Amino acid sequence: MSGAVKRLIPLFDRVLVERFAKQTTTKGGIVLPDKSTKNVLNATVVAVGPGGRNQQGEFVPCSVKPGDKVLLPEYGGNKLEIDNKEYYLFRDSDILGKWQE
Amino acid sequence: MSGAVKRLIPLFDRVLVERFAKQTTTKGGIVLPDKSTKNVLNATVVAVGPGGRNQQGEFVPCSVKPGDKVLLPEYGGNKLEIDNKEYYLFRDSDILGKWQE
Amino acid sequence: MSGAVKRLIPLFDRVLVERFAKQTTTKGGIVLPDKSTKNVLNATVVAVGPGGRNQQGEFVPCSVKPGDKVLLPEYGGNKLEIDNKEYYLFRDSDILGKWQE
Amino acid sequence: MSGAVKRLIPLFDRVLVERFAKQTTTKGGIVLPDKSTKNVLNATVVAVGPGGRNQQGEFVPCSVKPGDKVLLPEYGGNKLEIDNKEYYLFRDSDILGKWQE
Amino acid sequence: MSGAVKRLIPLFDRVLVERFAKQTTTKGGIVLPDKSTKNVLNATVVAVGPGGRNQQGEFVPCSVKPGDKVLLPEYGGNKLEIDNKEYYLFRDSDILGKWQE
Amino acid sequence: MSGAVKRLIPLFDRVLVERFAKQTTTKGGIVLPDKSTKNVLNATVVAVGPGGRNQQGEFVPCSVKPGDKVLLPEYGGNKLEIDNKEYYLFRDSDILGKWQE
Amino acid sequence: MSGAVKRLIPLFDRVLVERFAKQTTTKGGIVLPDKSTKNVLNATVVAVGPGGRNQQGEFVPCSVKPGDKVLLPEYGGNKLEIDNKEYYLFRDSDILGKWQE
């Protein structure tokens, strides 16, 4: 994880994730052009916000934590580019699941 | 159930299900092409999330549990492919009913 | 009521109903083609879910019970086919009224 | 009021009404074709449901009662035909006003 | 105010108003055709409902009372014709303001 | 401020404002045609309503008061003409900011 | 920060920001035309409102404060021009994250 991204604190229930590396060769060893590969749905949580607010205005903590391996939905999220690397911000409630160790 | 899927924990009120096997021959024994068969609406619950949050931010448990046989709506759900098998994530409230033993 | 349908428990505020038999002859005795007859709006309740949840996450019981004769709206509901018979699932709040004995 | 309609109990905040008879002749005595006459907006309440539910799941009684003369909105309502007579179901909150005796 | 309109009680937060008379001549004395004149936005309150309901199902009184001179929005409201006179029903919250004496 | 406008009391969380005079000459002294000039976004508050209602039906006071200089959004608001002068009604929550003295 | 902008107090949960200066030359020194450069997503908070209101009508403070360096979403916000400088107003909940010192 690069230096700048460490300083980014997501707000509310936003979760900053880094997708797993794309598989760029087939099992048979053929190199895949970048466009032909779909978004990788597995990602590592880099940082989480303090949580969204309930109707009393109190923070409700996120359900994932930095380091968690999560399953992302196919669409959505805000793409960021920090130090030439791609990151994504998702709302906590849009993350589908997490992978147990 | 394969190894990887066991490690997936759905978040919030999401329910991970595996549809029953498709009927690929008619009662008369004719083999059906895959495209002509509709989605199977019966499924087995594989894993459930901790539940959605109410307005106080507390978790409201899901109404189904792993092993339950459930009736799915015709549309909706997130399709996943884990270890070359298809699974689906549905919100607890979208599941129509469950089959008593 | 067939065997399989007895084992189906609707979830939340869903109500499983069976429509009254379609009138397939006119009063004068003419046989009506199946397509010309509208959906029958009267139905018998077969099973009810535990009820929807209020904002505290508690179940609010359905306003009908198995055996009730109810009046359905013209549109809506989920059609199911169980053991070659048609059933419908409606949300409790979509049922227009019930017929007193 | 015919026999069958007496047995219909509206659910939630639904109100069963019977519109006043349509005026089918002009003041000058000309007979009007049925299509040229608009829906009559005045109606008599035949039956009322127990009321809608508030956020705690408690019933909030309807604001009209059987026998009330009410003013209906121009559009909306569910049309029913019971024993060859037309009735309408409206949500309590869609009824515009009531006529004092 | 004619006899019939006195007997109409608006329901919920509805307010029955009578618009001020349309100005049908210009300041210079030219008679304006009826179509060229816009709706008059000032009106007198004729009757008010008991008020809308809050989340506990209690009535919240209307903010205007019979006799108040009010400012209406350009669009909206239900037009009624009672004894050959035009009246309008507006929701209390759609009325823009009232004119102090 | 003319006489009639003083008597207008906005309802709920509405705020009556008068926009600052339009700049009709450029800095270089060229006269601008009326159509070429945009709406002025700065305005003076003329009157405020008692406030909107919260879920308990209580009034929540407006965040501005008569005499405040405010910043309006580019679109929205109800235009009024009183005694040949233009005024605007905005919801309190649509006003972007206020200018400190 | 110029004089006039210091006097602007955002209302509710609005946050006044000034975007970082646009990069107008490439790393190789080529001057970029103004149109070819995207909006800068990093900004400095200039002023914050008292916060939005919760359902009880109480203010919920903003999650950023003047001087904070924040990450803006690609779209949205109200553009203002004060003393020939561009500023933007964003709702607190639309700001994606903040940069730690």
Side-chain angles (χ1 to χ4, degrees), chain F residues 41-101:
Chain F
L41 298 186
N42 289 315
T44 305
V45 174
V46 174
V48 302
R53 287 186 190 272
N54 65 10
Q55 292 203 341
Q56 280 69 46
E58 302 158 353
F59 285 109
V60 176
C62 285
S63 55
V64 294
K65 57 179 196 304
D68 278 356
K69 312 296 181 206
V70 294
L71 183 68
L72 303 175
E74 211 160 335
Y75 301 103
N78 287 73
K79 187 172 159 179
L80 308 174
E81 202 181 302
I82 303 170
D83 293 339
N84 296 317
K85 261 181 96 169
E86 270 180 17
Y87 295 91
Y88 288 81
L89 278 167
F90 279 86
R91 316 298 308 221
D92 182 41
S93 57
D94 290 340
I95 296 178
L96 299 179
K98 62 180 169 191
W99 296 99
Q100 228 171 357
E101 300 296 310

Side-chain angles (χ1 to χ4, degrees), chain D residues 55 93 95-98 100, chain E residues 4 7 9 11 14 53 55:
Chain D
Q55 291 203 342
S93 58
I95 296 179
L96 299 179
K98 63 180 165 189
Q100 229 170 355
Chain E
R7 295 191 299 105
I9 307 169
L11 292 180
R14 289 185 185 85
R53 288 185 190 272
Q55 292 203 343

Side-chain angles (χ1 to χ4, degrees), chain E residues 13-94:
Chain E
D13 63 338
R14 289 185 185 85
V15 175
L16 183 72
V17 299
E18 188 185 346
R19 290 178 192 268
F20 286 13
K22 266 192 187 175
Q23 203 179 354
T24 52
T25 52
T26 64
K27 283 172 193 178
I30 295 164
V31 178
L32 291 165
D34 193 61
K35 291 256 163 120
S36 76
T37 57
K38 280 200 260 176
N39 265 335
V40 174
L41 298 187
N42 290 314
T44 305
V45 174
V46 175
V48 301
R53 288 185 190 272
N54 64 12
Q55 292 203 343
Q56 280 69 46
E58 302 158 353
F59 286 109
V60 176
C62 285
S63 55
V64 294
K65 58 180 193 305
D68 278 356
K69 311 298 180 205
V70 294
L71 182 69
L72 303 175
E74 213 160 335
Y75 301 104
N78 288 72
K79 187 170 157 179
L80 308 174
E81 202 179 302
I82 303 170
D83 294 340
N84 296 316
K85 261 181 97 170
E86 270 181 15
Y87 296 91
Y88 288 81
L89 278 167
F90 279 86
R91 317 298 308 220
D92 182 42
S93 57
D94 289 341

Side-chain angles (χ1 to χ4, degrees), chain G residues 30-92:
Chain G
I30 295 164
V31 178
L32 290 164
D34 193 61
K35 290 254 163 121
S36 78
T37 57
K38 281 202 260 178
N39 266 335
V40 173
L41 299 186
N42 289 315
T44 305
V45 174
V46 174
V48 302
R53 287 187 190 270
N54 65 10
Q55 293 203 340
Q56 279 71 47
E58 302 157 355
F59 286 108
V60 176
C62 286
S63 54
V64 294
K65 57 179 196 304
D68 278 355
K69 312 296 181 207
V70 294
L71 182 67
L72 303 175
E74 210 160 334
Y75 301 103
N78 287 73
K79 187 170 157 178
L80 309 174
E81 203 180 300
I82 303 169
D83 293 339
N84 297 316
K85 259 181 99 169
E86 271 180 17
Y87 295 90
Y88 288 81
L89 278 167
F90 279 87
R91 316 298 309 219
D92 181 42

Side-chain angles (χ1 to χ4, degrees), chain B residues 15-71:
Chain B
V15 175
L16 184 71
V17 300
E18 186 183 348
R19 292 178 192 267
F20 287 14
K22 267 193 189 173
Q23 203 180 353
T24 50
T25 51
T26 64
K27 282 172 191 176
I30 295 163
V31 178
L32 292 165
D34 193 59
K35 291 253 162 123
S36 77
T37 58
K38 282 200 262 177
N39 264 336
V40 173
L41 299 187
N42 289 314
T44 304
V45 174
V46 174
V48 301
R53 288 186 190 269
N54 64 12
Q55 292 202 340
Q56 280 70 45
E58 302 157 353
F59 285 109
V60 176
C62 286
S63 55
V64 294
K65 57 180 197 304
D68 278 354
K69 310 298 179 205
V70 294
L71 183 67

Side-chain angles (χ1 to χ4, degrees), chain C residues 48-91:
Chain C
V48 302
R53 288 185 190 269
N54 64 12
Q55 292 202 340
Q56 280 70 45
E58 302 157 353
F59 285 109
V60 176
C62 286
S63 54
V64 294
K65 58 180 195 305
D68 277 354
K69 310 298 180 205
V70 294
L71 183 68
L72 303 175
E74 213 160 331
Y75 302 103
N78 288 71
K79 187 169 156 181
L80 308 175
E81 204 180 300
I82 303 170
D83 293 341
N84 296 316
K85 262 181 97 169
E86 271 181 14
Y87 296 91
Y88 288 81
L89 278 167
F90 279 86
R91 315 300 306 221

Side-chain angles (χ1 to χ4, degrees), chain B residues 54-56 60-61 63-64 71 92-101, chain C residues 4 6-12 14 53 55-57 78 80 82 89 91:
Chain B
N54 64 12
Q55 292 202 340
Q56 280 70 45
V60 176
S63 55
V64 294
L71 183 67
D92 183 41
S93 57
D94 288 341
I95 296 178
L96 299 179
K98 62 179 167 191
W99 296 99
Q100 227 169 357
E101 299 297 307
Chain C
K6 276 189 200 162
R7 295 193 298 106
L8 181 59
I9 306 169
L11 291 181
F12 296 96
R14 289 185 185 85
R53 288 185 190 269
Q55 292 202 340
Q56 280 70 45
N78 288 71
L80 308 175
I82 303 170
L89 278 167
R91 315 300 306 221

